[in-house]
Amino acid sequence: MLNNEPPLFTPNVNQVMIFDKHVLPQAFKLWIWQDRENRVMIILSIIVSLLLFEVFRNIYPFPNFLPDSYSYLEAAYQNLNVNIWPVGYSKFLRFLSVFNHSGQGLFFVQYLLLQGSILFFVLTIRYLIDPGKWTIRILYGLLLINPLWLYVCHFVSSDAVFATFSLLWLTTLLWIMYAPGKDLLLVHGLILFFVFSVRYNALYYPLFSLLVIIFGNKVNLKTKLTWIGLGILPVLLFIGYTTYTFKIKTNNLTFSPFGGWQIGSNALYMYSHVSPKVKEKVPPGFRNLHAIVTHHIDSLSHVKIQNRPDNNLGFYYLWGDGAPLKKQLIKRWEKDSTTPYLKRWVSMSPLYGAYGSWLIRQYPVEYARYYIWPNLISYYAPPPEFLGMYNMGKDSVDAGALIWFKYKTSKVHGPTKDKKIVVTAAFPIILALLNVLFITGFIGFAFIGGFKKMTGFQKKVLYVLLLVWFANLGFSVLASPIVLRYQVFPFIFTLTFACILMGYVIRESFVPSPKEEKPDISPRIASAL
């Protein structure tokens, strides 16, 4: 677009074999190492990442912990195949422990993986879309030195690993659109399998992979079925194995028991604002639970609004010991002290899912008002949550961390006595501005005829990224309360395409182009397609 220099290499998609010898085109590999701009980006990434890591680890000598951390550590220690949370991150922790048990080692690997995936993504965008030298430089600088990555990677949590492999999933998806092949599809399927095992926010990923495989390339049906098998089969095997293991261990045929708890929790945030008008109509199976819920909400009505634990969307109804879901769990199993906690927890999921769905059906308007709308605002400007406080404000860690990281003492410390993290407080505002820039850039791009000047492949890329953005928005808002650490992956690709779209709008509006040039068509892509 801005870059009018002739490309060093001009790969021909029509010459890429269906069953090739390389995961990525050889021309891309040559281009990476022989283009001076790329070499500078790679060298800078290594130097800057190591410097930032060294500075940060001296400020925070211990990793950051949140409630989920101890569940992941326990599952890793016991080598569990199913748990409350997906076990992918626990398997990741266990794998790393073969080489290093330190918290700083975990932080280093998570940060290295995230920075590496960002670099790969930026290089792919430069190669496939060619948005211009300065657009890439600005984008690369904003992504490389972003301090949010340091704080997210510093958690003993799946957030950084999920963002890393989500970005790899998206990047390989773009390559499948450009130069599909057996090896690439297999790698994509393995990435999809792992990211799916880390967090179930990836539930919509297989659908996108399936659509790109089916409609993204003009090949025969037999080839598409082969590609679908390579790309989707690992995920299907994981779903089947997880469901089977839950059945064996807990006698419940389920893939994600967390879903039932989450639906129940989401519904209670709405119902806490609603008078219990349907008491006499409660189905028999819900009456005991509903009695606990109404009594709890009545007790909260006497608490000042600013002091209520459910004042904002969060984890209170999901994990709070005094909240109705945990109370019902305790009451249901109070006479049984031998059943493992996981089996107890899983057994409540169908009831909570059904009860939450029933409440939502009773009050659909109120659910939209008190849950969906506040969560949509949180997507626009996500609260820092645990990113705003080091180690949840504590000066010590639990026994699980002490054992896993082989600490000599449970005492940990950060740079300040109050444990507050000031830097992350700015990111809700930054993300709000970024979402505005993204939407404004897209509208401006369409208004000044940007789509007309793009190649067919560039349009495909933009459409896929827009669909991923909207799918992530919809899934995030509907699934669970949104917080800042969940938004690393959308932050990266939203920033990327906000820069590309706004860069185009600014160039077309303020930088005159020679009449004989058509700067918006990438020479590399135009010649390839």
Side-chain angles (χ1 to χ4, degrees), residues 137-337:
R137 287 177 177 177
I138 293 171
L139 170 65
Y140 172 72
L142 292 173
L143 290 174
L144 176 64
I145 62 174
N146 194 317
L148 182 62
W149 315 153
L150 290 161
Y151 287 98
V152 172
C153 293
H154 200 235
F155 271 123
V156 181
S157 175
S158 63
D159 303 299
V161 174
F162 179 75
T164 294
F165 283 88
S166 291
L167 197 57
L168 289 175
W169 164 77
L170 181 60
T171 308
T172 53
L173 193 67
L174 299 180
W175 278 111
I176 289 171
M177 294 168 56
Y178 181 72
K182 179 183 68 174
D183 296 339
L184 176 60
L185 265 295
L186 181 59
V187 170
H188 181 77
L190 293 175
I191 291 171
L192 187 57
F193 156 76
F194 185 70
V195 74
F196 207 78
S197 73
V198 170
R199 183 175 290 167
Y200 295 149
N201 289 51
L203 279 170
Y204 67 90
Y205 292 8
L207 177 61
F208 272 85
S209 298
L210 191 64
L211 292 175
V212 167
I213 292 170
I214 293 175
F215 300 108
N217 299 277
K218 295 180 180 179
V219 294
N220 60 56
L221 179 62
K222 182 179 178 181
T223 300
K224 286 189 176 182
L225 291 175
T226 302
W227 289 358
I228 290 170
L230 291 170
I232 306 298
L233 184 60
V235 172
L236 297 179
L237 291 174
F238 172 73
I239 293 173
Y241 175 77
T242 302
T243 304
Y244 171 78
T245 306
F246 268 123
K247 176 64 176 176
I248 295 299
K249 287 187 172 294
T250 69
N251 200 33
N252 285 271
L253 191 65
T254 180
F255 168 62
S256 176
F258 186 81
W261 280 77
Q262 189 68 69
I263 292 171
S265 171
N266 296 347
L268 289 181
Y269 274 104
M270 171 273 295
Y271 194 62
S272 66
H273 295 275
V274 178
S275 299
K277 301 174 182 177
V278 293
K279 186 175 182 179
E280 69 281 359
K281 299 179 183 178
V282 178
F286 300 151
R287 285 174 185 168
N288 290 335
L289 174 58
H290 192 69
I292 293 175
V293 168
T294 53
H295 180 268
H296 184 79
I297 292 175
D298 180 65
S299 66
L300 289 180
S301 65
H302 302 290
V303 179
K304 291 182 179 180
I305 186 66
Q306 62 269 25
N307 296 327
R308 286 183 57 152
D310 62 348
N311 189 30
N312 296 305
L313 297 183
F315 58 86
Y316 173 70
Y317 284 113
L318 190 61
W319 301 118
D321 290 333
L325 301 187
K326 278 292 188 72
K327 284 183 177 180
Q328 177 69 10
L329 171 67
I330 295 170
K331 183 179 180 181
R332 165 66 178 81
W333 293 94
E334 61 184 349
K335 296 181 180 180
D336 186 340
S337 59

Side-chain angles (χ1 to χ4, degrees), residues 76-93:
Y77 185 77
Q78 298 183 20
N79 197 22
L80 300 179
N81 292 324
V82 291
N83 194 26
I84 292 175
W85 300 106
V87 296
Y89 183 68
S90 296
K91 298 294 184 182
F92 172 78
L93 291 174

